[in-house]
Amino acid sequence: MTPVEQHPQHVDAGAPLRGGQLAVEHVSHEYVSPGRRTPALADVSFAIQAGRVCCVVGPSGCGKSTLLGLAAGLLSPSSGRIVWDGEAVRLGPNKHIGMAFQQPGLFPWLTVRENVAIGLRTRGLGRHEARRIAEEFLATVGLADFQDAYPSQLSGGMAQRVGIARALALQPRLLLLDEPFAAVDAFTRLKLQQELLALLRRYRPTVMFVTHDVAEAIAVGDMIVVMSARPASVLRIIPIDAADRNRASPAFARKLGETLECLGVTQ
Amino acid sequence: MKIRDTFLLPLAGVALVLAVWQSTVVLYRLPGIVLPPPWDVALALLQLTGTQAFWRDVGVSLFEFASGFTIGGLLGVAIGVAIGESRTFRLASTPVVESLRFVVPFAWIPLTILWFGTSYTGKIALVAYAVFFVMVVSTARAVAAVDPTLSRVGTALGMGRWRLAWSVHVRAAAPTIASAARAAAAIGWIAVVAAEYIGASAGLGLMITNAASSLATPVVIAGMIVIGLIGAGVSALIGWLARLRLDYR
């Protein structure tokens, strides 16, 4: 079965599939500091098919961000491994990833355009090419008029758009999102979710999206991985169909109820 | 409002000091050798600025300062970054840095005279030393205190360790490093003059001690004022450069 048949909403007939497959295999992780071991993940396993969007939900502080850090190669797992396209992810900068964070982490000394271009420059693109691509992606997120602004002049929602443009401009095969919309107001969040969906349809990377907003997870994801409290393990994997995404539909309510119940929040 | 803030209030402060000074001289009938009135000092200052020897002394002191500041500043930032970035380096250097930074530059003056005599070299070494420790400690701290989100962003964007250190950590720490440089300049300038007081063949400090031994008190005070003005000027220059290059708000 192709993704086209299974997930009509995510399909743009012309867009080539960019993403690869990510497999999390029996991953455990603990943070070790002098005199203390803090377990964060306990035997986590799941897989994301190429080009799918996997939302990871769970109680705050459960280790969701740790999972992203491991997938990005920012951390190395205590045991188990994360496999990208058949190869174990190694510690250090990895060329296939793009990442966006809850605090967008824009460099305050660079303009918006330079913030988007710097990742491309780091990956060896020439100045003009990097600039052209940065402008293209800023236009895509509706910030063409703010290229010369500094991050301090942006609203929270705009800064978050820049963060996403910066990640997408790298044209990553794996996009890692760490609660990117958690710090913006509810209305902006809904708008950003819609924009993100459109962008994902266009560029089709594989996505791991960490959020604590279950409705957001259903609206954006192809699957939801529900995690337990720390140390996090997988409680359930819930598939999401296009029909579930309509917030007004009974199907949406059912998925919401199922996820919340799994998280121990009964209505 | 602007005139009041930029001219009137600062002038009022200066006027107050001069008034207290003048009235002290008058009230206690102090002889000029003990404390000359402001006017005599102003005349002495005017006379000084007309002599070549004065400008040579100013030049020597500034040269010693600028050389020492550059050497100490560059070394301090480089080692500070290394300490901030590398655990190994930090652990190895901590005992040396932490104990030496409390040995004030003035404690070194006897040794520098012994080693370098009254030449420029001793003063330059002293300034470099004074500036170095201020810069090492502040740079290491500033680099280590950079928002960890920026580091994660840098790595996620594909930066390796040294690229991250240079393009993100040093750049993010630059405003803190610049204000440390301002503090270091003050300490370095003080160190130059102090060293010249004790043993020098030229410089503002020597000019002042010479004037003192010939009981030319107005010249002594005029020299002190020049020291203060140059210090304030250097500090303002660094602040201005920092704003010029680092202001992105």
Side-chain angles (χ1 to χ4, degrees), chain B residues 31-91:
Chain B
I33 278 182
V34 177
L35 182 64
W39 182 247
D40 288 7
V41 173
L43 284 180
L45 190 59
L46 201 67
Q47 230 164 28
L48 266 182
T49 54
T51 64
Q52 259 190 353
F54 168 76
W55 292 111
R56 201 176 80 90
D57 285 327
V58 169
V60 166
S61 295
L62 273 178
F63 165 75
E64 291 166 346
F65 166 75
S67 315
F69 182 78
T70 308
I71 296 169
L74 290 179
L75 277 177
V77 170
I79 307 268
V81 171
I83 291 175
E85 292 291 329
S86 149
R87 202 179 102 87
T88 312
F89 205 88
R90 177 168 61 249
L91 292 177

Short mmCIF file of all heavy atoms in Angstrom, two decimals, chain B residues 31-91:
data_model
loop_
_atom_site.label_atom_id
_atom_site.label_comp_id
_atom_site.label_asym_id
_atom_site.label_seq_id
_atom_site.Cartn_x
_atom_site.Cartn_y
_atom_site.Cartn_z
N PRO B 31 48.68 76.58 51.27
CA PRO B 31 49.70 77.06 50.34
C PRO B 31 49.64 76.25 49.04
O PRO B 31 49.22 75.09 49.05
CB PRO B 31 51.01 76.82 51.08
CG PRO B 31 50.71 75.78 52.09
CD PRO B 31 49.25 75.89 52.44
N GLY B 32 50.05 76.88 47.94
CA GLY B 32 49.99 76.25 46.62
C GLY B 32 50.72 74.92 46.52
O GLY B 32 50.35 74.07 45.72
N ILE B 33 51.74 74.74 47.37
CA ILE B 33 52.49 73.50 47.32
C ILE B 33 51.67 72.34 47.85
O ILE B 33 51.76 71.21 47.36
CB ILE B 33 53.81 73.65 48.13
CG1 ILE B 33 54.84 74.35 47.26
CG2 ILE B 33 54.33 72.29 48.60
CD1 ILE B 33 56.18 74.51 47.93
N VAL B 34 50.80 72.61 48.82
CA VAL B 34 49.95 71.56 49.38
C VAL B 34 48.75 71.30 48.48
O VAL B 34 48.53 70.18 48.03
CB VAL B 34 49.48 71.94 50.80
CG1 VAL B 34 48.55 70.86 51.34
CG2 VAL B 34 50.67 72.13 51.71
N LEU B 35 47.96 72.34 48.22
CA LEU B 35 46.84 72.19 47.29
C LEU B 35 46.62 73.51 46.55
O LEU B 35 46.08 74.46 47.11
CB LEU B 35 45.56 71.78 48.04
CG LEU B 35 44.34 71.54 47.16
CD1 LEU B 35 44.55 70.37 46.23
CD2 LEU B 35 43.08 71.31 47.99
N PRO B 36 47.05 73.57 45.30
CA PRO B 36 46.84 74.79 44.53
C PRO B 36 45.36 74.92 44.14
O PRO B 36 44.68 73.90 44.05
CB PRO B 36 47.71 74.58 43.29
CG PRO B 36 47.82 73.10 43.16
CD PRO B 36 47.71 72.51 44.53
N PRO B 37 44.87 76.13 43.94
CA PRO B 37 43.48 76.31 43.51
C PRO B 37 43.30 75.80 42.08
O PRO B 37 44.29 75.71 41.32
CB PRO B 37 43.27 77.81 43.58
CG PRO B 37 44.64 78.40 43.48
CD PRO B 37 45.57 77.40 44.10
N PRO B 38 42.05 75.47 41.69
CA PRO B 38 41.77 74.91 40.37
C PRO B 38 42.37 75.75 39.24
O PRO B 38 42.87 75.20 38.25
CB PRO B 38 40.25 74.91 40.30
CG PRO B 38 39.78 74.92 41.70
CD PRO B 38 40.84 75.59 42.51
N TRP B 39 42.31 77.07 39.39
CA TRP B 39 42.79 77.94 38.31
C TRP B 39 44.27 77.71 38.02
O TRP B 39 44.66 77.63 36.85
CB TRP B 39 42.52 79.40 38.69
CG TRP B 39 42.93 80.35 37.63
CD1 TRP B 39 43.93 81.27 37.69
CD2 TRP B 39 42.38 80.45 36.31
NE1 TRP B 39 44.04 81.95 36.50
CE2 TRP B 39 43.10 81.45 35.63
CE3 TRP B 39 41.36 79.77 35.63
CZ2 TRP B 39 42.82 81.82 34.31
CZ3 TRP B 39 41.09 80.13 34.33
CH2 TRP B 39 41.82 81.14 33.66
N ASP B 40 45.09 77.58 39.08
CA ASP B 40 46.52 77.33 38.90
C ASP B 40 46.76 76.02 38.16
O ASP B 40 47.64 75.91 37.30
CB ASP B 40 47.24 77.25 40.26
CG ASP B 40 47.35 78.63 40.91
OD1 ASP B 40 46.75 79.57 40.34
OD2 ASP B 40 48.01 78.74 41.96
N VAL B 41 45.94 75.02 38.52
CA VAL B 41 46.07 73.71 37.87
C VAL B 41 45.69 73.83 36.39
O VAL B 41 46.35 73.26 35.52
CB VAL B 41 45.20 72.65 38.58
CG1 VAL B 41 45.21 71.34 37.81
CG2 VAL B 41 45.71 72.43 39.99
N ALA B 42 44.63 74.60 36.12
CA ALA B 42 44.21 74.79 34.73
C ALA B 42 45.34 75.44 33.93
O ALA B 42 45.62 75.03 32.80
CB ALA B 42 42.95 75.65 34.68
N LEU B 43 46.00 76.44 34.53
CA LEU B 43 47.12 77.10 33.84
C LEU B 43 48.26 76.12 33.60
O LEU B 43 48.83 76.09 32.50
CB LEU B 43 47.62 78.28 34.68
CG LEU B 43 46.73 79.54 34.64
CD1 LEU B 43 47.33 80.65 35.51
CD2 LEU B 43 46.57 80.04 33.19
N ALA B 44 48.56 75.31 34.63
CA ALA B 44 49.63 74.31 34.50
C ALA B 44 49.31 73.34 33.37
O ALA B 44 50.19 72.97 32.58
CB ALA B 44 49.81 73.57 35.82
N LEU B 45 48.04 72.96 33.29
CA LEU B 45 47.60 72.02 32.26
C LEU B 45 47.79 72.63 30.87
O LEU B 45 48.30 71.99 29.94
CB LEU B 45 46.12 71.67 32.50
CG LEU B 45 45.53 70.52 31.68
CD1 LEU B 45 46.31 69.24 31.93
CD2 LEU B 45 44.07 70.31 32.04
N LEU B 46 47.39 73.90 30.77
CA LEU B 46 47.50 74.60 29.50
C LEU B 46 48.96 74.68 29.06
O LEU B 46 49.31 74.44 27.89
CB LEU B 46 46.92 76.01 29.66
CG LEU B 46 46.49 76.70 28.36
CD1 LEU B 46 45.30 75.97 27.75
CD2 LEU B 46 46.15 78.16 28.63
N GLN B 47 49.82 74.97 30.06
CA GLN B 47 51.25 75.09 29.78
C GLN B 47 51.84 73.74 29.33
O GLN B 47 52.58 73.67 28.36
CB GLN B 47 51.96 75.52 31.06
CG GLN B 47 52.89 76.70 30.86
CD GLN B 47 53.26 77.32 32.19
OE1 GLN B 47 53.28 76.64 33.22
NE2 GLN B 47 53.53 78.61 32.18
N LEU B 48 51.41 72.69 30.06
CA LEU B 48 51.87 71.33 29.74
C LEU B 48 51.57 70.98 28.30
O LEU B 48 52.43 70.46 27.58
CB LEU B 48 51.17 70.31 30.64
CG LEU B 48 51.84 69.87 31.93
CD1 LEU B 48 50.96 68.81 32.59
CD2 LEU B 48 53.22 69.30 31.65
N THR B 49 50.34 71.26 27.89
CA THR B 49 49.93 70.83 26.55
C THR B 49 50.70 71.58 25.46
O THR B 49 50.67 71.17 24.31
CB THR B 49 48.41 71.05 26.33
OG1 THR B 49 48.11 72.42 26.62
CG2 THR B 49 47.60 70.15 27.23
N GLY B 50 51.40 72.63 25.87
CA GLY B 50 52.22 73.35 24.89
C GLY B 50 53.63 72.78 24.75
O GLY B 50 54.38 73.21 23.88
N THR B 51 53.97 71.81 25.60
CA THR B 51 55.33 71.27 25.54
C THR B 51 55.38 69.95 24.79
O THR B 51 54.42 69.17 24.84
CB THR B 51 55.91 71.02 26.94
OG1 THR B 51 55.12 70.00 27.56
CG2 THR B 51 55.87 72.27 27.80
N GLN B 52 56.50 69.70 24.11
CA GLN B 52 56.65 68.44 23.38
C GLN B 52 56.82 67.27 24.34
O GLN B 52 56.32 66.18 24.09
CB GLN B 52 57.87 68.53 22.48
CG GLN B 52 57.48 68.80 21.05
CD GLN B 52 58.66 68.66 20.12
OE1 GLN B 52 59.80 68.49 20.55
NE2 GLN B 52 58.38 68.72 18.84
N ALA B 53 57.51 67.54 25.45
CA ALA B 53 57.79 66.47 26.40
C ALA B 53 56.49 65.84 26.92
O ALA B 53 56.39 64.61 27.07
CB ALA B 53 58.60 67.01 27.58
N PHE B 54 55.50 66.70 27.17
CA PHE B 54 54.21 66.20 27.67
C PHE B 54 53.59 65.22 26.68
O PHE B 54 53.18 64.12 27.04
CB PHE B 54 53.27 67.38 27.92
CG PHE B 54 51.85 66.97 28.17
CD1 PHE B 54 51.45 66.41 29.38
CD2 PHE B 54 50.89 67.12 27.17
CE1 PHE B 54 50.14 66.04 29.60
CE2 PHE B 54 49.57 66.74 27.38
CZ PHE B 54 49.21 66.20 28.60
N TRP B 55 53.54 65.60 25.41
CA TRP B 55 52.91 64.74 24.41
C TRP B 55 53.68 63.45 24.22
O TRP B 55 53.12 62.40 23.94
CB TRP B 55 52.73 65.48 23.09
CG TRP B 55 51.70 66.58 23.23
CD1 TRP B 55 51.91 67.92 23.21
CD2 TRP B 55 50.30 66.40 23.48
NE1 TRP B 55 50.75 68.60 23.43
CE2 TRP B 55 49.73 67.69 23.59
CE3 TRP B 55 49.47 65.28 23.62
CZ2 TRP B 55 48.39 67.89 23.84
CZ3 TRP B 55 48.12 65.48 23.87
CH2 TRP B 55 47.59 66.78 23.97
N ARG B 56 55.02 63.55 24.40
CA ARG B 56 55.83 62.34 24.32
C ARG B 56 55.45 61.39 25.46
O ARG B 56 55.27 60.19 25.26
CB ARG B 56 57.31 62.69 24.38
CG ARG B 56 58.22 61.60 23.80
CD ARG B 56 59.68 62.06 23.81
NE ARG B 56 60.25 61.90 25.14
CZ ARG B 56 60.87 60.79 25.55
NH1 ARG B 56 60.99 59.76 24.74
NH2 ARG B 56 61.36 60.71 26.77
N ASP B 57 55.30 61.96 26.66
CA ASP B 57 54.92 61.12 27.81
C ASP B 57 53.55 60.47 27.60
O ASP B 57 53.36 59.28 27.86
CB ASP B 57 54.91 61.97 29.09
CG ASP B 57 56.32 62.25 29.59
OD1 ASP B 57 57.19 61.38 29.39
OD2 ASP B 57 56.54 63.34 30.16
N VAL B 58 52.61 61.29 27.12
CA VAL B 58 51.26 60.74 26.84
C VAL B 58 51.38 59.61 25.81
O VAL B 58 50.80 58.53 25.97
CB VAL B 58 50.32 61.84 26.31
CG1 VAL B 58 49.03 61.23 25.78
CG2 VAL B 58 50.01 62.84 27.42
N GLY B 59 52.19 59.87 24.76
CA GLY B 59 52.36 58.87 23.70
C GLY B 59 52.95 57.58 24.24
O GLY B 59 52.46 56.49 23.93
N VAL B 60 53.97 57.71 25.08
CA VAL B 60 54.60 56.51 25.65
C VAL B 60 53.60 55.72 26.48
O VAL B 60 53.44 54.51 26.30
CB VAL B 60 55.82 56.91 26.52
CG1 VAL B 60 56.26 55.73 27.38
CG2 VAL B 60 56.96 57.39 25.64
N SER B 61 52.88 56.40 27.35
CA SER B 61 51.92 55.70 28.20
C SER B 61 50.84 55.02 27.37
O SER B 61 50.48 53.86 27.60
CB SER B 61 51.26 56.67 29.18
OG SER B 61 52.21 57.17 30.08
N LEU B 62 50.33 55.74 26.35
CA LEU B 62 49.28 55.16 25.52
C LEU B 62 49.81 53.98 24.71
O LEU B 62 49.11 52.97 24.54
CB LEU B 62 48.72 56.21 24.57
CG LEU B 62 47.58 57.06 25.15
CD1 LEU B 62 47.13 58.10 24.13
CD2 LEU B 62 46.40 56.20 25.58
N PHE B 63 51.06 54.10 24.22
CA PHE B 63 51.65 53.00 23.46
C PHE B 63 51.79 51.75 24.33
O PHE B 63 51.43 50.64 23.93
CB PHE B 63 53.02 53.42 22.91
CG PHE B 63 53.85 52.27 22.43
CD1 PHE B 63 53.56 51.63 21.24
CD2 PHE B 63 54.93 51.81 23.20
CE1 PHE B 63 54.32 50.56 20.80
CE2 PHE B 63 55.69 50.74 22.76
CZ PHE B 63 55.39 50.11 21.57
N GLU B 64 52.31 51.95 25.56
CA GLU B 64 52.46 50.82 26.47
C GLU B 64 51.10 50.19 26.75
O GLU B 64 50.92 48.97 26.73
CB GLU B 64 53.08 51.28 27.80
CG GLU B 64 54.53 51.70 27.67
CD GLU B 64 55.03 52.47 28.89
OE1 GLU B 64 54.20 52.90 29.72
OE2 GLU B 64 56.25 52.64 29.00
N PHE B 65 50.12 51.07 26.98
CA PHE B 65 48.77 50.57 27.27
C PHE B 65 48.20 49.80 26.09
O PHE B 65 47.73 48.67 26.25
CB PHE B 65 47.85 51.74 27.64
CG PHE B 65 46.41 51.35 27.64
CD1 PHE B 65 45.89 50.60 28.69
CD2 PHE B 65 45.58 51.70 26.59
CE1 PHE B 65 44.56 50.22 28.69
CE2 PHE B 65 44.25 51.32 26.59
CZ PHE B 65 43.74 50.58 27.63
N ALA B 66 48.23 50.41 24.90
CA ALA B 66 47.60 49.80 23.73
C ALA B 66 48.25 48.45 23.40
O ALA B 66 47.54 47.47 23.11
CB ALA B 66 47.67 50.73 22.54
N SER B 67 49.59 48.39 23.48
CA SER B 67 50.26 47.11 23.17
C SER B 67 49.86 46.04 24.18
O SER B 67 49.49 44.92 23.81
CB SER B 67 51.78 47.27 23.22
OG SER B 67 52.16 48.44 22.56
N GLY B 68 49.93 46.40 25.46
CA GLY B 68 49.59 45.43 26.50
C GLY B 68 48.14 45.00 26.42
O GLY B 68 47.82 43.82 26.57
N PHE B 69 47.27 45.96 26.14
CA PHE B 69 45.83 45.65 26.06
C PHE B 69 45.56 44.69 24.92
O PHE B 69 44.79 43.73 25.07
CB PHE B 69 45.05 46.96 25.88
CG PHE B 69 43.56 46.76 25.82
CD1 PHE B 69 42.84 46.57 26.98
CD2 PHE B 69 42.90 46.78 24.60
CE1 PHE B 69 41.47 46.39 26.94
CE2 PHE B 69 41.53 46.59 24.55
CZ PHE B 69 40.81 46.40 25.72
N THR B 70 46.20 44.94 23.78
CA THR B 70 45.97 44.07 22.62
C THR B 70 46.47 42.65 22.90
O THR B 70 45.75 41.67 22.69
CB THR B 70 46.70 44.63 21.39
OG1 THR B 70 46.31 46.00 21.23
CG2 THR B 70 46.35 43.87 20.14
N ILE B 71 47.71 42.55 23.40
CA ILE B 71 48.29 41.23 23.67
C ILE B 71 47.46 40.49 24.73
O ILE B 71 47.00 39.36 24.52
CB ILE B 71 49.75 41.36 24.15
CG1 ILE B 71 50.61 41.96 23.03
CG2 ILE B 71 50.29 40.00 24.59
CD1 ILE B 71 52.00 42.38 23.50
N GLY B 72 47.22 41.16 25.86
CA GLY B 72 46.49 40.52 26.96
C GLY B 72 45.06 40.20 26.56
O GLY B 72 44.52 39.16 26.92
N GLY B 73 44.44 41.11 25.80
CA GLY B 73 43.05 40.92 25.39
C GLY B 73 42.90 39.72 24.47
O GLY B 73 42.05 38.86 24.68
N LEU B 74 43.75 39.65 23.44
CA LEU B 74 43.64 38.54 22.49
C LEU B 74 43.92 37.20 23.17
O LEU B 74 43.15 36.24 23.01
CB LEU B 74 44.61 38.74 21.31
CG LEU B 74 44.24 39.89 20.36
CD1 LEU B 74 45.29 40.02 19.25
CD2 LEU B 74 42.86 39.67 19.75
N LEU B 75 45.01 37.16 23.95
CA LEU B 75 45.33 35.91 24.65
C LEU B 75 44.21 35.55 25.63
O LEU B 75 43.82 34.38 25.73
CB LEU B 75 46.64 36.07 25.43
CG LEU B 75 47.92 35.87 24.63
CD1 LEU B 75 49.14 36.14 25.53
CD2 LEU B 75 47.97 34.44 24.10
N GLY B 76 43.71 36.54 26.34
CA GLY B 76 42.67 36.29 27.34
C GLY B 76 41.42 35.71 26.71
O GLY B 76 40.85 34.74 27.21
N VAL B 77 40.98 36.30 25.59
CA VAL B 77 39.77 35.80 24.93
C VAL B 77 40.02 34.39 24.39
O VAL B 77 39.19 33.49 24.58
CB VAL B 77 39.32 36.75 23.80
CG1 VAL B 77 38.22 36.12 22.96
CG2 VAL B 77 38.82 38.07 24.39
N ALA B 78 41.19 34.18 23.77
CA ALA B 78 41.48 32.86 23.20
C ALA B 78 41.47 31.78 24.29
O ALA B 78 40.80 30.75 24.16
CB ALA B 78 42.83 32.88 22.49
N ILE B 79 42.20 32.04 25.38
CA ILE B 79 42.27 31.03 26.45
C ILE B 79 40.90 30.92 27.13
O ILE B 79 40.46 29.83 27.52
CB ILE B 79 43.34 31.41 27.48
CG1 ILE B 79 44.68 31.66 26.79
CG2 ILE B 79 43.46 30.34 28.57
CD1 ILE B 79 45.59 30.51 26.66
N GLY B 80 40.21 32.04 27.28
CA GLY B 80 38.87 32.03 27.89
C GLY B 80 37.91 31.15 27.09
O GLY B 80 37.15 30.37 27.67
N VAL B 81 37.95 31.27 25.77
CA VAL B 81 37.10 30.43 24.93
C VAL B 81 37.47 28.96 25.12
O VAL B 81 36.60 28.11 25.29
CB VAL B 81 37.21 30.83 23.44
CG1 VAL B 81 36.51 29.82 22.55
CG2 VAL B 81 36.61 32.21 23.22
N ALA B 82 38.77 28.68 25.12
CA ALA B 82 39.21 27.29 25.30
C ALA B 82 38.72 26.74 26.64
O ALA B 82 38.26 25.59 26.72
CB ALA B 82 40.73 27.21 25.21
N ILE B 83 38.79 27.56 27.69
CA ILE B 83 38.32 27.11 29.00
C ILE B 83 36.80 26.88 28.98
O ILE B 83 36.29 25.91 29.52
CB ILE B 83 38.69 28.14 30.10
CG1 ILE B 83 40.21 28.15 30.30
CG2 ILE B 83 37.98 27.83 31.41
CD1 ILE B 83 40.68 29.21 31.28
N GLY B 84 36.09 27.81 28.33
CA GLY B 84 34.64 27.67 28.26
C GLY B 84 34.20 26.47 27.43
O GLY B 84 33.16 25.88 27.69
N GLU B 85 34.99 26.10 26.43
CA GLU B 85 34.57 25.04 25.52
C GLU B 85 35.04 23.66 25.94
O GLU B 85 34.39 22.67 25.65
CB GLU B 85 35.15 25.31 24.11
CG GLU B 85 34.56 26.53 23.42
CD GLU B 85 33.11 26.33 23.03
OE1 GLU B 85 32.71 25.19 22.74
OE2 GLU B 85 32.36 27.33 23.04
N SER B 86 36.22 23.59 26.56
CA SER B 86 36.80 22.28 26.81
C SER B 86 36.94 22.00 28.30
O SER B 86 37.58 22.75 29.04
CB SER B 86 38.18 22.19 26.12
OG SER B 86 39.04 21.35 26.85
N ARG B 87 36.32 20.91 28.72
CA ARG B 87 36.35 20.51 30.12
C ARG B 87 37.79 20.21 30.56
O ARG B 87 38.23 20.63 31.63
CB ARG B 87 35.49 19.26 30.28
CG ARG B 87 34.99 19.00 31.67
CD ARG B 87 34.14 17.74 31.66
NE ARG B 87 34.88 16.62 32.19
CZ ARG B 87 34.94 16.32 33.49
NH1 ARG B 87 34.27 17.04 34.37
NH2 ARG B 87 35.63 15.28 33.92
N THR B 88 38.51 19.51 29.68
CA THR B 88 39.90 19.15 29.98
C THR B 88 40.72 20.41 30.25
O THR B 88 41.42 20.51 31.25
CB THR B 88 40.52 18.42 28.77
OG1 THR B 88 39.61 17.41 28.35
CG2 THR B 88 41.85 17.82 29.12
N PHE B 89 40.59 21.36 29.34
CA PHE B 89 41.35 22.60 29.46
C PHE B 89 40.95 23.36 30.73
O PHE B 89 41.79 23.91 31.43
CB PHE B 89 41.08 23.45 28.23
CG PHE B 89 42.18 24.41 27.94
CD1 PHE B 89 43.25 24.03 27.16
CD2 PHE B 89 42.14 25.70 28.47
CE1 PHE B 89 44.27 24.92 26.91
CE2 PHE B 89 43.16 26.59 28.22
CZ PHE B 89 44.23 26.20 27.43
N ARG B 90 39.63 23.34 31.01
CA ARG B 90 39.15 24.07 32.19
C ARG B 90 39.74 23.48 33.47
O ARG B 90 40.24 24.20 34.32
CB ARG B 90 37.61 24.02 32.24
CG ARG B 90 37.03 24.71 33.47
CD ARG B 90 35.53 24.90 33.38
NE ARG B 90 34.79 23.66 33.26
CZ ARG B 90 34.13 23.27 32.18
NH1 ARG B 90 34.12 24.02 31.10
NH2 ARG B 90 33.47 22.13 32.17
N LEU B 91 39.69 22.14 33.57
CA LEU B 91 40.18 21.49 34.78
C LEU B 91 41.67 21.73 34.96
O LEU B 91 42.15 21.98 36.06
CB LEU B 91 39.86 20.00 34.74
CG LEU B 91 38.37 19.68 34.84
CD1 LEU B 91 38.12 18.19 34.71
CD2 LEU B 91 37.78 20.21 36.14
#
